[in-house]
């Protein structure tokens, strides 16, 4: 299997303190990795470094063998992120937010048209329905949606991006458990028959160790360092417990 | 440091301290010799001159004022938005990391802001002669640069998370900026732009300087000759226009924001803008003001270095600067500190309505007229000038504060009120505290305006740079004019960098951006 | 759907307005017209009446369209004259000299009968206990008082009084608080001295006399303490190029028309009344030489 992302000896230092220290791991095509750790263990820093939004203080991150810093815009469209705070634009409507996932593939004027009205409606609807939202919501303002619906809009935008690799930062933390599971399943469901292409590779940080059975591999962080990096089936519950101790 | 423990809400009240020395000086010199004339001024408000000639020329005057104001306003907003965008940090940070370009633009744009419209007008007049364009350009110059500062600051305070998220998906810098910034910028421009229109109308009262007529001509002439009945004809007309404008803008803003997905109104903006431009051109055409006349350029005299040096050494620079700073601080203190205090002590709706009418009245009275009224009560001193400038600008600050507070929801106020706290305290914590940072940002812009308005308050005599500038202009002593305008620019730059630092400090307090993400 | 209709409507309005403007644009360039103006020291109603009448009178007599442009700022009217936007301006002594220096060759056309020997009046608030001034050196009794001029560009309200004060050995910093006030106008000076805010002030004799006539002066509060020596003040100043633009002999014709205004014709009588004059008399730039010297000495001319 092809290696998509390679993280080598990465540290993030802020105010003379290590947020993460000497992290090395890689992500292969098709892997579904769960990122576990207590709050403050460095999960967010690790994700930000991996998706390129935070330059590492030390070490290197490579996307398909090329330094993440210097990859083309076209390549960065292949990496998508579902942010913990969603980062959807409250002032815009659902379609505009979903389409903003495709800005990387389109030019500036397309971006302007998107601000003015609803464009590429059918593509939007496909993404919305893949994310489990009814198409009637396409013109709704974000501010009128519930928390779960907003999360699904963020996912729809992510699907619209047509990425290969997805990072997600605690996508379930703010949801009630039942919906959380629903969303995770939607996310991890490998539906073959879909009209839109669904990313196949994930690195998701989660708070619920009981969900790791849906993942192929687990990376555990403690005090900014990797303490677990194993396939799910090689893992025992004692190791996971030690993360939270 | 002690300073660090003070939060913005405290800073909204600290400026009121300026009222103390001003009041002491005012009351020390107070006398009743001017009662008769003040009485005449007030009673004349009930009997404005209805002489046909007066009403007719006031009516024509107000039309010219509105038409010119409309044109200058729309141009200054457009130019201001453009300049604001290119002088924001976020633009340069996103497209190429050369933040210094935005910074440099911001510093350069302080130059147009440093000088009063009248001063720009008199300078441009030397080059272009008496054409309507001089009036329009001299309004547009300071206004667009003020707008650009407000817009740049607004852009730079928008949460950058969404922008980072879009950049991360591979969207180009310009697309992601447009997508994340315009939904924030657009409603801001609608409310701020509306408020600027009133400023433009008040500013257009200077048109008389350029022989364009307008309501300002009537006002200035009747002020000089103390013809209160005629003055009130113009003041009432201006008051009605301002009131109608305020109410209709308020209505317009509410109905735009009530539209679901108002960003789609983007589409109409170019049309709206062109319609406004065409309307004002047509209107001016009917008022016999021809904007199509070709511009002629006149040679101007450039002072030599030698002249500049002797002008510099001939002026009591230190004294001028100290007086100007003192005057600016005192007036600024009154303008910034009093509105929250007055709103705090008036805690019912009717009183607040009366207060906002009072503020309208203060905005209506030009600072020189206010100074004349105050000085009739007391002996001349810096306090008179400070009161006149302070009260006029308080009208502006009060309006901004009240409007922004009215747009806030009541939930926090109600929550605090329900714990048994008094109305005043609930208002303080549940309303003002949310608004104080924004208010202080506006206050820092207002200080610029106060500084440049010191140039039009001469009645107290011999006060500061502003008066000296008038004196040098009326002596056509260009070397001195250059020296004083340079001092104005330096003071503006210093003032702005202080207020920028303060704002950055308050922002840091709320959103701790300890990690610097790459855009 | 609705949006499209809106757009079309907008387009239509814009198109109509622009085309209307283009078709209807009057050609203002076709004929030359004479622009007259005045320094702003009258009440607006009077200015409007006066200059409407004067425009009509001059148009009729000269056979050219005459337009009045009110300029509300002294330096602006001087600059407007320099740039050639104002053809004929009613200037004060100082502003006239300033304009003539900036536009060499300009012609002093006429002055009022009262302008050849104009005076300033020093007035004092009665509470100030200032006694009448007999000789120039008596002006020293004003030291330490609160003192105000009128407008900074005024000849009778500032320039000449400052000159007489200086002759008596008084500097502007010798007054109370080391500053002098600038009330902005003759009327304001009177009001401020009457109120007591300033103890002494100085204004144009014409304004003083007409204020007395209108009963605006309260002699229990204000009194005149000194009438300054005479000097030449207001005058009409014309552009040097009027003959080129309006035909040979135009300037002379203009001068004759102004000087020829008499109280016999009703309209001319009104004009003269509004100017506060019996008649206009011819004037010469040499009449203003001393003003020029004084202005240079006091830094109002560079």
């Amino acid at each position: 299997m092809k290696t998509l992302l390679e993280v080598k000896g990465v540290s993030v230092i802020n105010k003379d303190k290590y947020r993460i220290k000497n992290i090395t791991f890689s992500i292969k095509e098709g892997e579904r990795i769960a990122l576990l750790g207590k709050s403050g263990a460095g999960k967010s820093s690790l994700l930000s470094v991996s998706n390129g939004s935070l330059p590492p203080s030390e070490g290197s991150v490579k996307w398909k063998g090329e330094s993440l810093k210097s990859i083309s815009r076209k390549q960065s469209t292949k990496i998508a992120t579902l942010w913990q705070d969603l980062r959807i634009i409250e002032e815009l409507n659902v379609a505009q937010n979903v389409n903003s996932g495709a800005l990387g593939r389109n030019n500036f004027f397309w971006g302007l048209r998107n601000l003015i009205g609803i464009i590429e409606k059918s593509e939007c609807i496909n993404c919305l329905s893949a994310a489990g939202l009814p198409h009637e919501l396409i013109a709704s303002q974000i501010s009128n949606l519930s928390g779960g619906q907003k999360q699904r809009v963020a996912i729809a935008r992510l699907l619209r991006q047509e990425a290969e690799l997805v990072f997600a930062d605690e996508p379930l933390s703010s949801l009630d458990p039942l919906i959380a599971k629903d969303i995770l399943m939607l996310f991890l469901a490998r539906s073959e028959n879909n009209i839109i292409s669904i990313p196949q590779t994930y690195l998701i940080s989660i708070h619920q160790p009981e969900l790791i059975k849906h993942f192929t591999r687990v990376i555990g962080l403690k005090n900014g360092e990797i303490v677990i990096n194993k396939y799910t089936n090689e893992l025992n519950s004692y190791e996971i417990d030690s993360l939270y101790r | 440091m002690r300073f660090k423990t003070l939060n913005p809400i405290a800073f909204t009240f600290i400026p009121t301290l300026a009222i103390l020395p001003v009041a002491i000086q005012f009351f020390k010199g107070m006398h009743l010799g001017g009662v008769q004339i003040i009485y005449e001024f007030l009673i004349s408000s009930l009997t404005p001159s209805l002489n046909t000639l007066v009403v007719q020329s006031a009516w024509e005057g107000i039309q010219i004022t509105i038409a010119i104001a409309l044109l200058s306003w729309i141009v200054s907003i457009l130019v201001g938005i453009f300049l604001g965008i290119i002088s924001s940090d976020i633009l340069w940070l996103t497209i190429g990391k050369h933040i210094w370009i935005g910074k440099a633009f911001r510093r350069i744009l302080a130059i147009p802001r440093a000088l009063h419209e009248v001063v720009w007008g008199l300078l441009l007049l030397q080059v272009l002669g008496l054409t309507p364009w001089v009036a329009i350009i001299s309004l547009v110059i300071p206004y667009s640069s003020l707008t650009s500062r407000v817009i740049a600051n607004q852009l730079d305070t928008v949460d950058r998370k969404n922008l980072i998220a879009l950049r991360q998906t591979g969207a180009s810098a310009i697309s992601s900026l447009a997508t994340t910034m315009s939904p924030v910028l657009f409603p801001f421009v609608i409310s701020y732009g509306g408020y600027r229109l009133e400023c433009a109308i008040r500013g257009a009262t200077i048109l008389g300087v350029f022989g364009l007529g307008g309501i300002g001509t009537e006002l200035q002439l009747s002020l000089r000759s103390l013809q209160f009945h005629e003055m009130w004809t113009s003041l009432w007309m201006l008051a009605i226009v301002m009131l109608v404008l305020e109410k209709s803008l308020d209505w317009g803003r509410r109905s735009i924001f009530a539209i679901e997905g108002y960003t789609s109104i983007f589409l109409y903006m170019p049309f709206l803008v062109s319609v406004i431009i065409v309307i004002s051109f047509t209107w001016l055409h009917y008022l016999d003001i021809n904007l199509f006349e070709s511009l002629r350029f006149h040679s101007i005299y450039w002072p030599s270095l030698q002249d500049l040096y002797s002008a510099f050494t001939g002026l009591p620079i230190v004294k001028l600067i100290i007086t100007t700073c003192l005057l600016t601080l005192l007036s600024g203190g009154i303008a910034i500190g009093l509105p929250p205090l007055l709103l705090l002590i008036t805690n019912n709706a009717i009183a607040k309505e009366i207060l906002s009418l009072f503020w309208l009245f203060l905005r209506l009275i030009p600072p020189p007229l206010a100074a004349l009224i105050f000085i009739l009560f007391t002996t001349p001193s810096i306090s008179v000038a400070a009161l006149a400038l302070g009260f006029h600008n308080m009208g502006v600050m009060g309006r901004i504060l009240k409007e922004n507070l009215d747009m806030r929801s009541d939930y926090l106020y109600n929550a605090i009120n329900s714990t048994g706290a008094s109305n005043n305290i609930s208002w303080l914590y549940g309303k003002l505290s949310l608004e104080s940072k924004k208010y202080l940002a506006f206050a820092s812009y207002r200080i610029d305006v106060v500084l440049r308005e010191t140039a039009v308050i001469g009645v107290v005599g011999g006060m500061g740079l502003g008066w000296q500038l008038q004196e040098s202009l009326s002596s056509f002593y260009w070397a001195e004019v250059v020296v004083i305008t340079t001092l104005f620019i330096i003071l503006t730059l210093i003032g702005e960098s202080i207020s920028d630092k303060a704002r950055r400090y308050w922002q840091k307090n709320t959103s701790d951006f300890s990690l610097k993400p790459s855009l | 759907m609705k949006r499209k209709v809106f757009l079309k409507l907008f387009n239509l309005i814009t198109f109509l307005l622009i085309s209307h403007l283009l078709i209807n644009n009057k050609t203002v360039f076709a004929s030359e017209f004479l622009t007259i103006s005045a320094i702003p020291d009258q009440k607006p109603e009077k200015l409007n009446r006066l200059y409407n009448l004067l425009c009509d009178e001059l148009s009729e007599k000269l056979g050219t369209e005459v337009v009045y442009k009110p300029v509300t700022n002294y330096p602006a009217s001087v600059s407007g004259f320099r740039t050639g936007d104002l053809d004929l301006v009613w200037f004060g002594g100082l502003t006239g000299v300033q304009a003539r220096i900036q536009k060499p060759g300009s012609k002093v056309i006429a002055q009022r009968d009262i302008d050849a020997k104009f005076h300033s009046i020093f007035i004092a608030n009665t509470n100030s206990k200032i006694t009448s001034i007999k000789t120039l050196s008596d002006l020293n009794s004003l030291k330490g008082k609160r003192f105000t001029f009128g407008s900074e560009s005024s000849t009778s309200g500032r320039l000449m009084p400052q000159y007489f004060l200086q002759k008596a050995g008084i500097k502007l910093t010798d007054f109370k608080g080391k500053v002098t006030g600038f009330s902005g106008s003759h009327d304001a000076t009177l009001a401020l001295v009457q109120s007591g805010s300033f103890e002494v002030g100085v204004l144009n004799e014409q304004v003083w006399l007409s204020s007395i006539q209108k009963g605006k002066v309260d002699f229990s509060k204000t009194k005149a303490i000194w009438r300054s020596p005479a000097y030449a003040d207001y005058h009409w100043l014309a552009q040097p190029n009027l003959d080129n633009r309006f035909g040979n002999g135009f300037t002379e014709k203009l001068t004759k028309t102004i000087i020829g205004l008499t109280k016999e014709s009703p309209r001319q009588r009104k004009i003269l009344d509004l100017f506060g004059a019996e008649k206009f008399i011819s004037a010469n730039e040499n009449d203003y030489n001393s003003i020029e010297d004084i202005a240079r000495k006091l830094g109002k001319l560079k």
Side-chain angles (χ1 to χ4, degrees):
Chain A
M1 262 186 299
K2 209 163 72 179
T3 301
L4 291 182
L5 194 85
E6 227 183 325
V7 177
K8 230 183 216 165
V10 161
S11 305
V12 172
I13 304 168
N14 182 45
K15 292 177 186 157
D16 300 327
K17 239 185 79 193
Y18 278 98
R19 288 281 172 103
I20 50 174
K21 193 176 176 182
N22 198 19
I23 299 279
T24 302
F25 71 95
S26 58
I27 303 175
K28 293 199 176 65
E29 211 174 343
E31 278 194 299
R32 284 175 287 165
I33 306 172
L35 184 61
L36 295 178
K38 276 199 288 198
S39 303
K43 297 195 296 283
S44 293
S45 298
L46 179 63
L47 284 168
S48 302
V49 167
S50 309
N51 73 14
S53 64
L54 183 70
S57 317
E58 292 162 3
S60 69
V61 185
K62 282 185 174 153
W63 168 255
K64 293 184 180 169
E66 202 181 335
S67 171
L68 197 58
K69 263 191 306 202
S70 51
I71 60 169
S72 65
R73 285 216 287 121
K74 199 169 174 211
Q75 281 305 313
S76 32
T77 64
K78 301 295 173 203
I79 307 171
T81 307
L82 184 67
W83 303 83
Q84 186 178 6
D85 51 6
L86 302 182
R87 306 199 176 180
I88 50 182
I89 302 163
E90 292 275 332
E91 293 86 356
L92 296 178
N93 64 26
V94 171
Q96 287 166 328
N97 266 293
V98 173
N99 274 333
S100 72
L103 281 175
R105 273 180 277 136
N106 292 288
N107 64 18
F108 173 61
F109 293 100
W110 189 89
L112 274 190
R113 275 173 49 220
N114 178 44
L115 279 174
I116 290 167
I118 295 174
I119 53 174
E120 300 193 3
K121 201 171 172 181
S122 59
E123 285 89 336
C124 269
I125 291 176
N126 288 341
C127 293
L128 283 178
S129 54
L133 277 176
H135 64 87
E136 291 87 13
L137 282 180
I138 191 160
S140 308
Q141 288 304 117
I142 297 297
S143 42
N144 297 340
L145 302 183
S146 70
Q149 284 172 321
K150 284 183 190 172
Q151 191 118 26
R152 286 169 196 268
V153 172
I155 292 171
R157 176 175 74 179
L158 184 140
L159 295 174
R160 186 88 171 88
Q161 191 181 333
E162 297 171 11
E164 291 173 20
L165 170 61
V166 169
F167 293 103
D169 193 359
E170 295 184 15
L172 315 171
S173 59
S174 61
L175 300 173
D176 71 68
L178 272 177
I179 301 177
K181 188 157 181 211
D182 216 22
I183 289 210
L184 186 70
M185 291 325 290
L186 171 154
F187 215 31
L188 298 178
R190 299 186 178 215
S191 39
E192 306 283 320
N193 239 344
N194 229 306
I195 326 161
I196 55 169
S197 69
I198 296 225
Q200 302 293 312
T201 318
Y202 300 93
L203 173 65
I204 301 181
S205 79
I206 51 171
H207 255 318
Q208 301 91 328
E210 68 275 14
L211 292 173
I212 60 169
K213 57 176 183 287
H214 301 290
F215 293 85
T216 57
R217 191 146 64 100
V218 171
I219 293 178
L221 277 181
K222 196 170 184 181
N223 300 328
E225 290 180 78
I226 292 186
V227 290
I228 305 172
N229 186 355
K230 282 186 177 171
Y231 290 109
T232 317
N233 46 24
E234 296 167 1
L235 206 66
N236 63 44
S237 61
Y238 176 77
E239 280 175 299
I240 291 176
D241 285 349
S242 74
L243 277 177
Y244 294 96
R245 213 162 284 144
Chain B
M1 238 168 58
R2 248 295 156 63
F3 171 80
K4 294 213 163 189
T5 60
L6 281 171
N7 86 355
I9 195 159
F11 272 95
T12 54
F13 287 106
I14 286 177
T16 34
L17 292 178
I19 197 85
L20 266 174
V22 169
I24 291 172
Q25 203 175 28
F26 187 88
F27 286 112
K28 242 176 78 187
M30 193 158 158
H31 57 74
L32 294 175
V35 165
Q36 178 61 32
I37 199 155
I38 299 288
Y39 173 76
E40 269 173 46
F41 170 74
L42 290 177
I43 207 76
S44 307
S45 67
L46 303 175
T47 54
S49 169
L50 296 176
N51 177 311
T52 352
L53 206 61
V54 174
V55 174
Q56 212 174 1
S57 74
W59 171 239
E60 192 179 311
I62 195 97
Q63 291 186 60
I64 293 175
T65 302
I66 296 173
I68 295 257
L70 213 52
L71 189 59
S72 328
W73 168 71
I74 196 84
V75 175
S76 70
I77 293 285
L78 291 179
V79 176
I81 292 175
F82 172 74
L83 292 176
I85 291 171
I86 64 166
S87 62
S88 66
D89 283 340
I90 193 77
L91 174 73
W92 300 102
L93 198 64
T94 314
I95 65 176
K97 313 203 189 258
H98 295 291
I99 320 185
W100 63 268
I101 304 178
K103 267 206 178 69
F105 271 125
R106 278 207 299 281
R107 295 291 167 254
I108 292 168
L109 283 170
I111 295 171
R113 278 196 292 275
L115 302 181
H116 194 267
E117 299 89 282
V118 173
V119 179
W120 276 117
L122 285 173
L123 295 177
L124 284 170
L125 174 54
Q126 308 305 323
V127 190
L128 297 174
L130 284 175
T131 91
W133 286 108
V134 168
I136 294 165
I137 298 170
S138 53
L139 283 174
V140 166
I141 289 175
Y143 286 8
S144 55
S145 105
L146 177 60
T147 307
S148 80
R149 183 176 185 217
V150 178
I151 298 260
N153 284 336
Q154 182 69 24
L155 287 177
D156 285 337
T157 49
V158 172
D159 199 333
R160 294 176 185 176
K161 284 180 188 163
N162 287 338
L163 181 63
I164 295 168
L166 282 190
R167 284 296 277 156
Q168 208 273 315
T169 69
S172 69
I174 187 126
S175 294
S176 37
L177 274 172
T179 307
T180 52
M181 294 297 155
S182 54
V184 184
L185 193 59
F186 182 69
F188 179 77
V189 166
I190 288 182
S191 28
Y192 182 72
Y195 146 76
R196 290 305 306 173
L197 180 57
E198 196 204 271
C199 294
I201 294 218
R202 271 184 287 123
T205 52
I206 64 155
L207 298 175
V209 173
F210 316 108
L212 279 181
I215 200 79
T217 304
E218 318 289 318
L219 266 178
Q220 282 189 10
L221 290 175
S222 51
L223 170 62
R224 283 225 180 87
S225 48
L226 303 186
Q227 298 296 313
F228 294 131
H229 297 284
E230 295 173 18
M231 192 189 290
W232 273 106
T233 312
S234 310
L235 283 177
W236 275 120
M237 230 174 244
L238 200 56
I240 292 167
V241 169
M242 275 163 61
L243 198 67
V244 168
L245 194 72
E246 195 179 314
K247 293 290 166 203
S248 51
L249 281 174
D250 200 38
W251 173 82
R253 191 169 34 231
R254 272 167 211 279
S255 41
I256 283 181
F257 290 156
I259 298 173
E260 183 99 327
Y262 50 77
T263 42
S264 64
I265 305 174
F266 267 134
L267 194 61
Y268 302 119
M269 281 329 239
F271 296 97
L272 199 62
V273 167
S274 43
V275 164
I276 289 175
I277 289 177
V278 171
I279 284 178
S280 42
F281 264 79
T282 319
W283 200 352
L284 285 170
H285 172 76
Y286 276 106
L287 294 163
D288 265 343
I289 290 178
N290 186 9
L291 293 171
F292 294 103
E293 225 168 323
S294 54
L295 291 177
R296 282 175 299 142
F297 289 87
H298 301 272
S299 61
I300 46 168
Y301 162 79
W302 290 101
S304 67
L305 274 179
Q306 183 66 41
D307 290 344
L308 289 176
Y309 180 74
S310 63
F312 183 76
T313 48
L315 286 168
I317 302 283
V318 178
K319 193 183 151 209
L320 287 175
I321 290 180
I322 290 174
T323 323
T324 308
C325 291
L326 192 63
L327 179 56
T328 309
L329 286 178
L330 289 176
S331 333
I334 293 169
I336 296 159
L338 277 183
L341 198 67
L342 287 175
L343 279 174
L344 178 66
I345 54 181
T346 54
N347 51 16
N348 69 62
I350 298 167
K352 284 198 194 329
E353 251 345 280
I354 292 172
L355 200 56
S356 80
L357 279 179
F358 173 60
W359 281 329
L360 180 86
F361 175 73
L362 292 183
R363 293 198 300 277
L364 183 66
I365 304 287
L369 173 57
L372 188 69
I373 293 171
F374 284 125
I375 205 176
L376 282 165
F377 273 123
T378 185
T379 49
S381 63
I382 195 168
S383 298
V384 173
L387 270 179
L389 271 182
F391 268 55
H392 180 75
N393 285 292
M394 170 166 90
V396 178
M397 290 307 295
R399 177 188 171 190
I400 293 179
L401 181 61
K402 186 170 177 294
E403 247 172 36
N404 284 324
L405 286 173
D406 287 350
M407 284 202 284
R408 290 254 172 212
S409 70
D410 282 339
Y411 76 98
L412 192 55
Y413 172 85
N414 291 337
I416 293 171
N417 206 219
S418 69
T419 64
S422 76
N423 286 350
N424 294 344
I425 292 294
S426 316
W427 182 83
L428 201 59
Y429 283 83
K431 285 224 153 179
L432 185 66
S433 68
L434 305 171
E435 204 50 51
S436 53
K437 245 180 279 169
K438 201 165 155 198
Y439 179 70
L440 284 171
F442 272 109
S444 76
Y445 310 139
R446 207 66 215 166
I447 289 283
D448 273 7
V449 181
V450 172
L451 174 62
R452 56 168 202 260
E453 279 184 350
T454 60
V456 291
I457 197 122
V459 67
V460 227
M463 288 286 179
L465 286 170
W467 183 83
Q468 186 59 51
L469 184 56
Q470 293 285 326
E471 172 70 1
S472 312
L473 281 167
S474 74
S475 310
F476 301 94
Y477 188 2
W478 298 115
E480 222 169 65
V481 172
V482 171
V483 170
I484 297 165
T485 47
T486 311
L487 290 174
F488 261 111
I489 291 166
I490 293 171
L491 285 182
T492 306
L493 277 171
I494 294 173
E496 290 192 357
S497 64
I498 293 173
S499 64
D500 280 352
K501 283 216 175 70
R503 197 179 23 248
R504 224 167 296 135
Y505 165 75
W506 283 315
Q507 266 154 29
K508 231 192 283 163
N509 260 3
T510 50
S511 61
D512 183 18
F513 254 104
S514 41
L515 293 172
K516 284 212 176 58
S518 68
L519 286 169
Chain C
M1 207 47 224
K2 220 164 145 195
R3 182 176 295 154
K4 287 227 170 80
V5 178
F6 258 128
L7 272 179
K8 277 193 183 133
L9 209 64
F10 265 123
N11 271 328
L12 190 70
I13 293 171
T14 320
F15 172 76
L16 281 179
L17 282 173
I18 290 178
S19 51
H20 169 85
L21 202 62
L22 290 176
I23 294 164
N24 222 349
N25 190 12
K26 275 187 282 185
T27 40
V28 205
F29 320 94
S31 65
E32 280 263 39
F33 51 88
L34 188 80
T35 313
I36 64 173
S37 185
I39 51 163
D41 68 345
Q42 295 283 351
K43 59 175 189 164
E45 188 242 335
K46 195 167 151 183
L47 269 181
N48 281 322
R49 265 201 296 160
L50 174 56
Y51 284 92
N52 283 339
L53 289 171
L54 189 64
C55 283
D56 293 346
E57 180 72 29
L58 291 180
S59 305
E60 207 171 277
K61 290 274 152 58
L62 300 171
T64 339
E65 198 188 339
V66 182
V67 185
Y68 164 60
K69 233 183 204 182
V71 176
T72 58
N73 177 293
Y74 285 78
S77 47
V78 172
S79 302
F81 188 82
R82 180 181 78 87
T83 55
D85 294 296
L86 304 173
D87 294 322
L88 176 69
V89 182
W90 178 242
F91 276 123
L94 170 61
T95 40
V97 170
Q98 286 178 330
R100 194 150 43 81
I101 300 273
Q102 292 186 26
K103 188 87 180 202
S106 325
K107 303 208 165 53
V108 176
I109 296 241
Q111 56 182 197
R112 294 173 303 185
D113 47 355
I114 52 172
D115 290 318
K117 289 193 164 48
F118 210 76
H119 300 271
S120 299
I121 297 287
F122 281 65
I123 56 169
N125 187 282
T126 41
N127 287 336
S128 67
K129 310 273 184 292
I130 296 171
T131 51
S132 288
I133 310 275
K134 301 269 173 351
T135 62
L136 198 66
S137 61
D138 285 354
L139 284 173
N140 276 295
S141 63
L142 305 184
K143 277 188 182 169
K145 305 291 180 192
R146 294 190 301 271
F147 178 86
T148 185
F149 287 126
S151 164
E152 65 259 19
S153 291
S154 169
T155 309
S156 51
R158 191 256 167 107
L159 185 81
M160 293 313 291
Q162 187 181 346
Y163 169 69
F164 294 125
L165 287 169
Q166 202 184 47
K167 250 175 121 180
I170 304 172
K171 295 193 295 286
L172 294 187
T173 47
D174 285 339
F175 297 110
K176 189 159 193 174
K178 298 199 169 173
V179 288
T180 40
F182 284 87
S183 71
S185 70
H186 303 298
D187 293 284
T189 302
L190 176 60
L192 288 172
V193 172
Q194 199 144 289
S195 76
S197 293
F198 284 102
E199 290 164 298
V200 199
V202 58
L203 73 158
N204 169 326
E205 189 183 35
Q206 197 200 358
V207 176
W208 169 248
L209 292 176
S210 78
S211 300
I212 293 175
Q213 219 172 32
K214 283 182 218 143
K216 277 194 187 166
V217 181
D218 182 347
F219 284 102
S220 68
K221 290 183 185 158
T222 331
K223 59 180 179 185
I225 52 167
W226 190 54
R227 183 185 195 225
S228 77
Y231 51 88
D233 202 346
Y234 296 87
H235 54 282
W236 285 108
L237 190 69
Q239 287 286 345
N241 66 351
L242 294 185
D243 287 4
N244 295 345
R245 281 165 54 205
F246 297 97
N248 266 342
F250 183 84
T251 313
E252 212 187 310
K253 200 171 152 196
L254 178 66
T255 313
K256 275 189 181 145
T257 312
I258 291 178
I259 291 175
L261 295 174
T262 66
K263 291 219 162 181
E264 273 135 47
S265 126
R267 182 159 73 191
Q268 294 181 6
R269 187 191 176 85
K270 263 189 206 154
I271 293 172
L272 287 170
D273 282 348
L274 288 167
F275 264 108
E278 289 299 311
K279 60 176 195 266
F280 281 98
I281 57 174
S282 67
N284 187 298
E285 54 180 71
N286 294 331
D287 299 343
Y288 297 90
N289 284 347
S290 59
I291 296 263
E292 191 178 327
D293 289 343
I294 291 165
R296 276 191 206 284
K297 263 184 217 146
L298 298 180
K300 294 302 287 181
L301 256 185
K302 287 288 160 183

